[in-house]
Amino acid sequence: MIKFGKWIAIVLSMVVILTACQNKSEESNEESKSEGGKKSDKLVLYAAGPDDLVNDMVKKFEKESGKKVQVYQGTTGEILGRLEAEKDNPKADVVQLASLPAALDYKKKDLIEPYKVKNHKKLYKDWIDKDGYYYGFSGSALGMSYNTKAVKKAPKDTKDLTDKKYKDKLAIPDPSESGTALDLLSIKVNNEGDKAWDEYKALKDNGMHMAGANKPALQSVIKGENDVVYGGVDYMVYKAKAKGEPVDISYPESGTAISPRPAFILKSSEHKEAAKAYMDYVTSKKGQKEVDDHYLIPADKSQEKNKDKAKRSEIKEFKYDWNTLSDDSEKVLKKFTDMMK
């Protein structure tokens, strides 16, 4: 598992600089202040997508609670870069990310305000912190996204992608741009060791190439530029499929990773009561239904009712513990990047 500082350095070394510059031009930061320079009464949420889920949740939370929310949306890397740039003048109250390792590191650095949400007993224990420091309120499974026009029979396992019929029509999200892709890479290597590396080498020899972060990687399949993307997030595929795009997903029979998407309250928050109310909402039955409706896996399995996607219980997961996962992701990422050159 990559430490927060290392993750920033590897994945988005320039984000801090770009974000700092961007912040200066954002209406002189007046969004976060009311007249007279005082802090706004709005809850400030920094959230990784999907954008429609964030927007729907915020809208319903505002209606139910009567509280107002100011939202900044970006990728996990962009959010981490913005938080780093603002560390001397923090603005965010609640943070939602697409990958768990940064939340673990924020806890270690004592940057999180712990809070036990009302529904904590019904959430997956391996997705949440027992003391309330973070909550994986949703999850995305990594699978094999394929173009249904080009692929008539779905691949059953990763090794199937070494078949010559996929030669030069195979891609993978770049783990230096996608936190979930890095999660899968680290977890697969942690579970399978040399076998995983042999498999990645065979895929590379069959023409596998990196196709940017998850969204552009999936677009390459939808457009027919690639037949299959290995390691893409499933909710994007289900959403595209529901819109009529020629795409579907299968999960490797040998195992894959499911990335919990954490939410937590920053210790620097100036709106802690509103932040707690928001955390209660996203982990409540109503919030979890929203998660399920948007094709992600809810942390409360009683709300996993969407028949147009696979349930967590139907996906074979590699065994891993986020808190004890080997701290060698930096080396794994470097080895993979060197191999793909």
Side-chain angles (χ1 to χ4, degrees):
M1 172 172 50
I2 287 185
K3 298 296 185 185
F4 170 70
K6 291 179 180 178
W7 200 90
I8 286 291
I10 297 168
V11 183
L12 285 158
S13 59
M14 294 303 293
V15 169
V16 174
I17 297 172
L18 293 174
T19 304
C21 294
Q22 180 188 39
N23 287 349
K24 291 179 181 179
S25 63
E26 286 186 351
E27 299 180 14
S28 301
N29 291 327
E30 289 303 316
E31 285 183 348
S32 300
K33 297 180 180 180
S34 59
E35 291 183 10
K38 295 181 180 179
K39 291 283 186 178
S40 168
D41 288 334
K42 292 182 179 180
L43 176 74
V44 180
L45 170 67
Y46 285 8
D51 293 355
D52 52 354
L53 171 61
V54 175
N55 293 335
D56 287 350
M57 274 192 164
V58 165
K59 187 181 298 183
K60 292 182 180 181
F61 169 73
E62 288 182 328
K63 183 177 181 180
E64 186 171 294
S65 68
K67 303 178 187 300
K68 295 297 182 180
V69 182
Q70 175 185 316
V71 183
Y72 166 73
Q73 295 196 50
T75 65
T76 291
E78 288 167 347
I79 289 170
L80 293 175
R82 187 172 180 124
L83 290 169
E84 178 70 8
E86 295 174 350
K87 64 182 179 180
D88 294 328
N89 183 27
K91 298 177 176 63
D93 297 299
V94 176
V95 177
Q96 293 175 194
L97 303 173
S99 183
L100 193 61
L104 297 174
D105 200 66
Y106 262 62
K107 176 188 174 182
K108 184 176 179 180
K109 293 178 180 294
D110 195 29
L111 297 172
I112 298 177
E113 180 77 15
Y115 172 63
K116 282 285 186 74
V117 298
K118 294 176 181 178
N119 200 37
H120 74 275
K121 291 183 178 179
K122 294 186 178 181
L123 307 179
Y124 285 125
K125 288 183 173 58
D126 58 329
W127 284 14
I128 68 175
D129 180 80
K130 63 182 180 63
D131 297 315
Y133 281 87
Y134 60 81
Y135 293 88
F137 71 99
S138 63
S140 56
L142 291 304
M144 297 175 288
S145 312
Y146 61 94
N147 184 295
T148 53
K149 291 182 179 179
V151 180
K152 300 305 179 183
K153 186 177 180 181
K156 294 183 178 180
D157 212 342
T158 318
K159 63 182 179 182
D160 295 345
L161 303 181
T162 61
D163 192 292
K164 62 182 180 181
K165 66 183 178 182
Y166 297 115
K167 180 70 175 177
D168 298 327
K169 297 288 285 183
L170 175 63
I172 188 170
D174 187 342
S176 71
E177 296 185 41
S178 166
T180 53
L182 181 56
D183 289 345
L184 176 59
L185 173 62
S186 301
I187 289 167
K188 185 175 175 67
V189 170
N190 183 265
N191 274 258
E192 297 182 338
D194 290 341
K195 178 184 175 183
W197 287 118
D198 290 343
E199 194 165 75
Y200 280 125
K201 179 63 166 58
L203 292 172
K204 196 257 185 181
D205 290 344
N206 203 36
M208 183 178 75
H209 55 279
M210 292 187 283
N214 279 295
K215 188 173 182 178
L218 176 58
Q219 283 299 315
S220 75
V221 171
I222 291 173
K223 293 176 181 179
E225 297 167 359
N226 291 300
D227 288 349
V228 182
V229 164
Y230 170 55
V233 291
D234 57 353
Y235 74 88
M236 286 187 181
V237 176
Y238 291 129
K239 183 178 177 181
K241 181 181 177 182
K243 291 182 177 180
E245 300 289 3
V247 67
D248 209 339
I249 190 167
S250 62
Y251 302 96
E253 292 179 344
S254 58
T256 190
I258 296 180
S259 292
R261 302 166 71 86
F264 52 88
I265 302 171
L266 289 176
K267 183 168 282 189
S268 58
S269 168
E270 295 191 6
H271 306 96
K272 288 191 172 67
E273 292 308 309
K276 291 174 182 178
Y278 180 80
M279 292 291 290
D280 278 331
Y281 180 78
V282 298
T283 54
S284 70
K285 286 185 177 181
K286 290 181 180 179
Q288 290 295 286
K289 181 181 183 301
E290 285 291 315
V291 168
D292 191 53
D293 287 346
H294 286 80
Y295 303 102
L296 284 109
I297 301 171
D300 181 348
K301 67 178 180 180
S302 71
Q303 299 306 306
E304 196 168 16
K305 301 176 181 179
N306 191 332
K307 295 181 180 180
D308 294 324
K309 67 177 182 64
K311 293 183 177 180
R312 185 185 186 189
S313 59
E314 298 170 343
I315 302 168
K316 183 175 180 181
E317 291 183 69
F318 285 125
K319 293 182 178 180
Y320 50 89
D321 182 342
W322 290 103
N323 289 294
T324 59
L325 193 64
S326 176
D327 186 22
D328 60 0
S329 292
E330 184 177 9
K331 293 179 180 178
V332 170
L333 178 59
K334 185 179 186 306
K335 182 173 180 178
F336 179 81
T337 303
D338 289 344
M339 183 190 74
M340 292 297 292
K341 289 179 180 178

